[in-house]
Amino acid sequence: MPRFSIIVPSHGVAGRLGQALDSVLAQSFGDFELIPVCDAAGSPAAGVAAGHAEQDSRVAPVHAPPSEGLAGARNAGVRVATGTYLLFLDGDDVLVPGALAALDARLAETGPVDVLPCEHERVPWWEGEPTRPAAPLLEHAPGGAFAPARAPRLTGVGLPAWSAAWRRAFVAEHELAFPPGWFTDVGWCGRALLRAERVAVSRRVLVRHRARRQGDRLRLPGAHHHDLLDQTERVLDEAAGLGLPAERSGPLFEQLFAAVLKTAAHPRRLPSGRREFFRRASALYRGHRPAGFRPPGGSLGVQHRLLAAGAYEAFAALRDTRRAAGRAAGALPRPRGLRTRLHYGLQLRRPLDPDLAVYCAYWGRGYACNPAAIHAKARELAPHIRGVFLVEADQAHTVPDGVEYAVLGSHRAWELLARATYLVNNANFAEGVVKRPGSVHLQTQHGTPLKTMGVDQSTYPVVAAATGSFTKLLGRVDRWDYNLSSNPHSTRVWERAFPGSYEHLEYGYPRNDVYVTAGADDVARIRAELGVPEGARAVLYAPTHRDHHTGFEPGLDLEAFCEAAGEDVVVLLRAHYFYDRGGRGRSGRVIDVTAHRSSEDVCLAADALVTDYSSIMFDYANLDRPIVVYADDWEVYRETRGVCFDLTAAPPGRVARTPGELARVFRDGSYADDGAAALRAAFRERFCPFDDGRAAERVVRRVLLGEPPEALPPVIPLAERVPAPAAATLVRS
């Protein structure tokens, strides 16, 4: 029997779940079982949990349907637990280092106890000092084990379930379970402390609770706040049934109604049904008020008296006088330039155009990437929606014939941004763009993340300095309604890197549709356009940007590589788009395709890919053609840029560290042998689950046409897809 059973619900926190599980497995005290509770096999969280279970036998995942909520997930974990003590950990929180060793030592001091409340640390999601909210409840508790009557203010009402250890035999004896609904901790902790006979406290921090940027889900507006009254009534009924003495019932009553009054006085939490909430709370107050109970002083005492009297109108008037004024519309950001600001402000007063969609890619670099693929599919499936692309002035000539466009920064562009119902971008629109009620912003992203992104970059000084204000970045994230994801890995990273209230769309990348829909004639045409000699093996070399470099450095002598790799080899050089200066040329056997509009065309033309850490590898993997990772500076890149996973441990093909190794794998054919194919197959399974050629259709039908998810075309399994054929004859899996 392990000392501790640690139960970790994971619904909605797949992006942080790995960190929570790692914080447990890294503990110096190892006598525990770790029970992640996931929605279902195949869910993003289940994949994370399964990976940890493969690495450590103490991890034993179980499943609970999302419909049962947090309470159902915890109860499912309790049912299979075998430890002496139960611990709960939210999937986006962590155990502090040494927590289990300290907890075990404290239990050795006190002997068996029913409940051991502990300190926890609440860490602001971004800036600010950590706090210890449980400290006032614990600081006056006796030093050893004690009966709850000796610490009457330790009622459990203000204690999260994950900030205590619970003796499993005690839980089973009293048939304790988390009650359904919201605010389940109130019902669990309140009832458990009523039943406990022997309690002790620990003033050591057990859990580091990481506040969400979106705020505590229990504090968000909605009808779920009525559940607080259900939990309050449940605890009060049990206290009455036990005949709790006044010295204990008074603090319990006061703490329960402190939470109730806080909700009743907060207008945003109850957008409707406030009067009903107040009346029911008033009835509970009068029905359970302990004999001799004296309300607290000050404003809170006034609220107690109004609640006892059922005086809703007076309570509402008091509440309204305390309400903070909202931000004025004039405080919203505006574009630069007085005339432009005035013009944009005027356009914002006009109604949204329900049939207008505005697209932009790479900060106006032209008609490209996911926005272009969505625009093209929308012309086919939603022809009533007028689509306009925004581009920089020097990129206007790149827009295909028949595509309407506007120049970024022009009055016309700002008018379109003000009136459009749909705004689609693979980067971000300018800060001055206002998110209007009724508008729909779709963030398509432009790659699968290997490197750190968003707020995860904050701990890497070189990257953080180039990123600018993270506060402004997150202001732009707040405009997103949908965020497109090409695989579960990306979904987890976006959730952590760009915290917001948007909806993830795991539909695949529309720009990658062509890797399934293109044919041999398309490949031949593109190769001819790029100048690839007939019969040549075209190797695409696509290095990524280095934040610690000041300009483009190829990192490889490409002419020497061609000579060493084989006489039929030519290189298609595609530098990162940061270094696109509009030029294009050929030098010997190296063809510079950096300025070519479509990276998808370049990939279709290539028989193999050589890259370092560019996200192009995730897209190219859809073609099931050989990939070689040239990782000559992996350690430096990992330390300066930060990465989401170890590419060298799970690569899409052979890994070369030197120019000689790179040339050798092409010369001897190992870049395309069975071993390379096996690595590529595992990589595709992980990173290409949704790119089946119908991603753009799913996006258009869901976002622009408003179709429900169940009406969209299902994803074609990876094994049933037929990628566009390569031009050269290669050893294929």
Side-chain angles (χ1 to χ4, degrees):
M1 178 186 298
R3 181 66 155 163
F4 302 112
S5 294
I6 305 168
I7 298 164
V8 188
S10 63
H11 179 68
V13 293
R16 292 185 178 271
L17 179 61
Q19 296 173 343
L21 301 182
D22 289 342
S23 75
V24 178
L25 297 176
Q27 293 288 313
S28 57
F29 182 90
D31 186 15
F32 62 80
E33 61 180 358
L34 178 56
I35 307 173
V37 186
C38 309
D39 294 346
S43 66
V48 176
H52 283 72
E54 291 175 1
Q55 299 171 14
D56 197 308
S57 60
R58 294 172 297 179
V59 183
V62 298
H63 301 291
S67 59
E68 295 184 0
L70 177 62
R74 286 175 173 170
N75 290 334
V78 171
R79 285 193 292 269
V80 301
T82 62
T84 305
Y85 285 91
L86 302 173
L87 298 176
F88 301 98
L89 182 68
D90 281 358
D92 51 358
D93 294 339
V94 295
L95 286 185
V96 300
L100 295 185
L103 186 57
D104 178 67
R106 179 59 175 155
L107 287 167
E109 293 173 0
T110 64
V113 293
D114 297 329
V115 186
L116 185 85
C118 303
E119 289 267 23
H120 67 271
E121 187 175 70
R122 187 180 190 277
V123 181
W125 88 272
W126 189 247
E127 295 177 344
E129 293 297 320
T131 58
R132 294 187 176 185
L137 296 173
L138 306 183
E139 61 184 356
H140 298 302
F146 57 89
R150 293 182 58 197
R153 297 201 64 78
L154 190 61
T155 66
V157 170
L159 187 71
W162 42 258
S163 192
W166 313 86
R167 188 165 61 87
R168 188 169 62 86
F170 159 74
V171 170
E173 176 188 351
H174 294 284
E175 299 181 339
L176 294 175
F178 284 90
W182 298 73
F183 303 93
T184 188
D185 282 9
V186 174
W188 166 275
C189 297
R191 294 178 62 235
L193 266 294
L194 287 174
R195 296 285 185 176
E197 297 179 359
R198 199 165 187 269
V199 179
V201 304
S202 171
R203 295 181 180 86
R204 287 284 300 270
V205 170
L206 174 68
V207 170
R208 181 166 294 123
H209 171 62
R210 299 181 294 182
R212 292 170 171 236
R213 176 172 182 259
Q214 303 94 311
D216 187 335
R217 283 173 288 191
L218 296 181
R219 293 177 172 82
L220 295 177
H224 63 275
H225 287 282
H226 290 268
D227 283 11
L228 176 59
L229 299 181
D230 295 337
Q231 305 292 2
T232 298
E233 185 172 16
R234 187 174 283 116
V235 175
L236 290 173
D237 284 346
E238 186 143 350
L242 293 172
L244 205 66
E247 59 268 21
R248 291 189 65 191
S249 62
L252 175 65
F253 182 86
E254 181 179 340
Q255 291 177 18
L256 284 169
F257 277 95
V260 170
L261 285 167
K262 191 171 185 179
T263 297
H266 202 299
R268 287 189 64 253
R269 294 188 187 176
L270 288 168
S272 62
R274 297 174 195 163
R275 186 184 296 271
E276 177 189 349
F277 182 93
F278 184 87
R279 286 177 174 172
R280 185 182 168 200
S282 179
L284 281 175
Y285 190 99
R286 292 192 299 270
H288 289 276
R289 180 170 47 188
F293 175 75
R294 298 185 62 182
S299 175
L300 183 57
V302 174
Q303 294 179 52
H304 270 263
R305 292 177 175 85
L306 293 174
L307 186 64
Y312 176 75
E313 301 299 339
F315 183 89
L318 176 65
R319 180 196 64 207
D320 291 343
T321 61
R322 299 164 58 89
R323 185 182 304 179
R327 291 183 178 178
L332 290 169
R334 292 290 186 266
R336 294 180 180 179
L338 178 59
R339 292 180 61 186
T340 304
R341 283 200 300 271
L342 292 173
H343 178 72
Y344 183 54
L346 181 63
Q347 297 303 318
L348 288 171
R349 297 175 180 271
R350 300 175 64 190
L352 290 173
D353 183 339
D355 295 329
L356 175 61
V358 170
Y359 300 83
C360 191
Y362 298 116
W363 303 276
R365 288 186 59 249
Y367 188 79
C369 195
N370 292 318
I374 295 169
H375 173 272
K377 183 59 67 172
R379 297 176 78 178
E380 172 189 337
L381 299 180
H384 64 284
I385 294 181
R386 172 191 171 206
V388 184
F389 236 87
L390 301 185
V391 296
E392 291 287 356
D394 61 354
Q395 295 296 321
H397 68 282
T398 68
V399 179
D401 292 340
V403 174
E404 185 179 356
Y405 71 90
V407 174
L408 277 168
S410 67
H411 278 202
R412 180 165 176 265
W414 282 109
E415 178 179 343
L416 291 165
L417 288 168
R419 301 286 316 282
T421 293
Y422 307 100
L423 293 96
V424 181
N425 206 326
N426 73 349
N428 263 308
F429 288 102
E431 286 174 34
V433 173
V434 173
K435 175 66 165 71
R436 297 185 64 180
S439 66
V440 177
H441 285 239
L442 169 64
Q443 167 60 253
T444 74
Q445 303 293 347
H446 54 270
T448 290
L450 166 61
K451 59 191 176 186
T452 55
M453 303 293 291
V455 297
D456 285 350
Q457 299 172 346
S458 61
T459 55
Y460 296 88
V462 174
V463 187
T467 300
S469 169
F470 288 101
T471 300
K472 292 181 178 180
L473 167 66
L474 291 168
R476 297 189 288 270
V477 169
D478 285 340
R479 298 189 302 226
W480 302 354
D481 294 290
Y482 299 105
N483 182 49
L484 196 57
S485 179
S486 58
N487 47 62
H489 160 78
S490 295
T491 303
R492 294 194 293 270
V493 173
W494 302 145
E495 178 185 319
R496 186 176 63 245
F498 301 116
S501 57
Y502 51 83
E503 177 183 343
H504 291 286
L505 300 181
E506 289 187 318
Y507 292 171
Y509 276 165
R511 71 182 184 192
N512 291 345
D513 286 353
V514 69
Y515 297 143
V516 178
T517 60
D521 291 344
D522 299 303
V523 173
R525 172 182 53 78
I526 296 167
R527 285 170 68 94
E529 290 176 359
L530 296 177
V532 178
E534 189 172 346
R537 281 187 297 168
V539 176
L540 172 59
Y541 177 54
T544 193
H545 169 64
R546 302 296 199 278
D547 294 273
H548 55 286
H549 289 173
T550 56
F552 175 60
E553 300 177 18
L556 188 66
D557 186 331
L558 297 179
E559 288 289 356
F561 165 74
C562 290
E563 291 295 331
E567 62 182 14
D568 62 337
V569 170
V570 298
V571 168
L572 303 175
L573 169 62
R574 189 168 182 85
H576 191 276
Y577 58 81
F578 284 178
Y579 308 110
D580 176 10
R581 298 295 180 264
R584 178 184 172 193
R586 178 169 183 164
S587 174
R589 290 157 66 181
V590 178
I591 305 171
D592 188 346
V593 295
T594 302
H596 189 76
R597 179 182 60 83
S598 170
S599 62
E600 294 78 54
D601 281 0
V602 173
C603 288
L604 285 168
D607 300 303
L609 169 68
V610 174
T611 186
D612 41 22
Y613 325 118
S614 170
S615 66
I616 200 172
M617 73 180 79
F618 301 98
D619 304 311
Y620 192 83
N622 284 287
L623 289 167
D624 197 18
R625 302 178 190 176
I627 303 173
V628 179
V629 174
Y630 182 53
D632 62 326
D633 63 345
W634 169 250
E635 288 74 18
V636 174
Y637 187 84
R638 182 178 58 192
E639 293 302 316
T640 57
R641 187 60 174 84
V643 295
C644 305
F645 68 95
D646 187 351
L647 177 64
T648 61
R654 299 298 182 189
V655 177
R657 294 280 192 165
T658 66
E661 290 179 8
L662 180 62
R664 184 170 63 251
V665 299
F666 277 89
R667 192 167 55 247
D668 64 18
S670 59
Y671 78 106
D673 64 10
D674 290 344
L679 291 170
R680 187 169 68 253
F683 191 84
R684 295 180 75 228
E685 188 75 26
R686 180 179 181 185
F687 295 110
C688 305
F690 309 132
D691 288 327
D692 63 349
R694 302 190 71 176
E697 179 183 351
R698 284 189 282 270
V699 171
V700 171
R701 289 173 59 174
R702 176 78 169 89
V703 178
L704 301 186
L705 297 178
E707 296 184 14
E710 59 270 17
L712 305 183
V715 174
I716 300 170
L718 193 64
E720 298 177 16
R721 300 175 205 165
V722 180
T729 302
L730 300 170
V731 179
R732 301 289 297 276
S733 60

